[in-house]
Amino acid sequence: MGALAGIGVGRGIAVARVLRMPEPLEPPTDEPLTGDVDAEHERVRAALDHVADELDARAAAAGGEAQAVLEAAALMAQDPAVLADVRTRLEDGVNAERAVWDAYAGFRDMLTAMGGYMAERATDLDDVAQRVVARLRGVPAPGVPASDQPCILVARDLAPADTATLDLARTLALVTEEGGPTSHTAILARSKSLPAVVGVAGLLDAAVEGQRAIVDARAGTVVLDPDDASVDGALAEREARLAAAAAPLTEGALADGTRVPLLANIGSPRDAAAAIELGAEGVGLFRTEFLFLDAPAAPSVEQQTASYTEVLRAFPGRRVIARVLDAGADKPLAFLGEAREENPALGLRGLRALRANEPILRDQLTALANAAAATEAELWVMAPMVADVEEAEYFVALGRELGLQTVGAMAEVPSIAVLADQVLEVCDFVSIGTNDLTQYTLAADRQLGSVAAMQDPWHPAVLRLVKMLGDAGARAGKHVGVCGEAAADPALAVVLVGLGVTTLSMSASALADVRAELLTVTLEEARARAERALGARSAAEARAAAA
Ligand code: PEP
Ligand code: MG
């Protein structure tokens, strides 16, 4: 028994048997067909039937959204056009696996060319093709295997498509060899409140199917084949943590009573209801662009007023921080920003795009002011991607002109931290977007898996920028919050408070864990941890130093 270390997501703990996710299949070879066409055709037909039955059975067991996805995949396996296409290829001398692979690739290209919803389904065909080829090869199907008992899923990494088939009732934890704190696995784990440890070096060599394991997300460790005493200890610890997480929905505070308001990140009125249920004290980031991702043209003032009013109405007497449209890079809007740029993350995005289309910004600020006037919520408004004090001044002046009282800036570009004193003189508050701040500080595209390890907000370079902002906020007597994913990491949340951050905003599912963790430390201890993390030489060292 030995502990493997990685990056923990959340603070949960789980004990169960290892369920290994098969490695992706090697593509078939181009070897010519050697067998008999009729016999191979029959073998493919049987494999297609088997895969369709298996997908149907999993669909029935899954229910909900996953059921529809799996049923659609089963239909794709039974489509007679596929078998006919395979037959033609076999007759042309192509081997069975390659014939299946290429037949599905052809259909995938057709769907992709159709665009829209059909194009989104195209990758599902790849999954079906892999399953059929696996059956022909006699190896386990790729993707998340079915399990009839509680399990700890061990994988190289999880793709977004894997998440639809994850059985949340039986999957107690996720452990991956690859991936960083912003990988799909980490995001899924956070949104479903599943304990996870990602980036565990040596995991795939060490973990054995069916073996017992303890996953401790707070410690970032995985113990394979633990002894009974360790299992008992882990189960007792699990109970204690669950009790803490299920504690009353108190306001966010440290052990010494220092208040740290806990707010939610939302993108729609539906998210607002969930946030309230989970005890959010308000909204720290309302991503308004999420309402208009599919809109072909800029929404009218009336339409926007109605949407914002619906959200604000859910928070009478509470703070709601709305971010004006953040278009570009990972969130393109058809009606705002440049469609084609070589480096969209460094392009005309965020406030820059709005400034270049000022009528759209004016309409939005007007709609926000209307919604504030129609409700009891305390509306604050902020701009994304503000780079310096001139941009901050522009936005604050426009907000005030259009009737908004509390106007601030997001700190996502490192320059704004370097100029924190100037910016805080102008703005009513600052909210740190650690996702983009990390991306820009470390020059690591947040959408690229190959640099995911550098996308780590624990990096001391990021922490030092946060401290510059926290210090400037304290000097100016203004709020400096965090609304990036970093606030949802309980251990990092403590460090952020130690760096001078005054509010934390996160997806609502993370609130309970962060609330519980804050209650375990005093401000003095949080500051001591922050100090140790600041002196570290890497993200991993900072994480360890703050433990
Ligand atoms: C951020 O960059 O940290 C942030 C909160 O904004 P988004 O994730 O929407 O870019
Ligand atoms: Mg951002």
Side-chain angles (χ1 to χ4, degrees), residues 210-243:
Q211 159 185 67
R212 226 166 30 162
I214 300 172
V215 176
D216 186 339
R218 182 159 71 182
T221 57
V222 184
V223 180
L224 297 169
D225 197 19
D227 56 29
D228 289 345
S230 304
V231 167
D232 290 346
L235 289 174
E237 175 67 19
R238 180 168 173 274
E239 285 309 308
R241 287 191 205 171
L242 284 176

Side-chain angles (χ1 to χ4, degrees), residues 285 287 289 323 326 330-331 349 384-385 410-412 432-437 439-440 446 483-484:
L285 171 63
R287 290 180 162 107
E289 66 279 356
R323 168 174 74 191
D326 183 17
D330 50 332
K331 289 166 295 210
R349 59 169 305 195
M385 311 297 303
M410 287 190 76
E412 301 180 286
I432 308 175
T434 45
N435 307 335
D436 277 314
L437 186 63
Q439 145 164 281
Y440 293 126
R446 64 192 270 193
C483 64

Side-chain angles (χ1 to χ4, degrees), residues 240-268:
R241 287 191 205 171
L242 284 176
L249 301 178
T250 50
E251 293 182 328
L254 302 181
D256 57 12
T258 307
R259 281 275 287 125
V260 184
L262 296 177
L263 310 170
N265 291 354
I266 66 168
S268 69

Side-chain angles (χ1 to χ4, degrees), residues 311-387:
V311 168
L312 294 192
R313 209 173 266 141
F315 296 93
R318 306 262 176 173
R319 183 187 319 164
V320 175
I321 307 181
R323 168 174 74 191
V324 292
L325 300 169
D326 183 17
D330 50 332
K331 289 166 295 210
L333 293 180
F335 56 89
L336 198 55
E338 282 298 317
R340 270 175 234 290
E341 288 175 335
E342 281 290 318
N343 290 306
L346 303 181
L348 195 70
R349 59 169 305 195
L351 181 61
R352 300 168 189 179
L354 288 166
R355 205 169 176 182
N357 295 273
E358 196 179 289
I360 294 181
L361 177 56
R362 284 181 170 271
D363 278 358
Q364 183 173 28
L365 293 173
T366 304
L368 284 164
N370 291 346
T375 62
E376 304 291 311
E378 186 192 325
L379 177 68
W380 295 15
V381 176
M382 63 185 180
M385 311 297 303
V386 177

Side-chain angles (χ1 to χ4, degrees), residues 16 33 92 131 154 171 186 195 205 226 230 247 324 362 398 413 419 437 513:
L33 176 71
D92 287 345
R131 287 176 181 281
V154 167
T171 310
D205 284 341
S230 304
V324 292
R362 284 181 170 271
L398 196 62
V413 185
L419 302 170
L437 186 63
D513 281 352

Side-chain angles (χ1 to χ4, degrees), residues 106-245:
F107 286 104
R108 184 197 55 215
D109 292 347
M110 255 164 56
L111 286 191
T112 306
M114 286 178 191
Y117 177 79
M118 298 311 273
E120 282 168 29
R121 299 270 63 86
T123 49
D124 295 350
L125 281 177
D126 289 339
D127 181 58
V128 176
Q130 293 228 5
R131 287 176 181 281
V132 178
V133 170
R135 179 74 187 166
L136 290 171
R137 239 176 241 184
V139 298
V144 181
S147 170
D148 51 12
Q149 36 171 322
C151 62
I152 289 168
L153 187 65
V154 167
R156 184 169 296 283
D157 202 0
L158 291 180
D162 299 322
T163 60
T165 55
L166 202 60
D167 178 353
L168 289 169
R170 296 199 182 86
T171 310
L172 303 193
L174 307 174
V175 190
T176 61
E177 170 139 341
E178 291 178 1
T182 54
S183 62
H184 282 295
T185 308
I187 289 167
L188 173 79
R190 233 174 256 125
S191 74
K192 303 290 181 197
S193 295
L194 273 182
V197 184
V198 299
V200 182
L203 173 71
L204 295 178
D205 284 341
V208 176
E209 179 81 14
Q211 159 185 67
R212 226 166 30 162
I214 300 172
V215 176
D216 186 339
R218 182 159 71 182
T221 57
V222 184
V223 180
L224 297 169
D225 197 19
D227 56 29
D228 289 345
S230 304
V231 167
D232 290 346
L235 289 174
E237 175 67 19
R238 180 168 173 274
E239 285 309 308
R241 287 191 205 171
L242 284 176

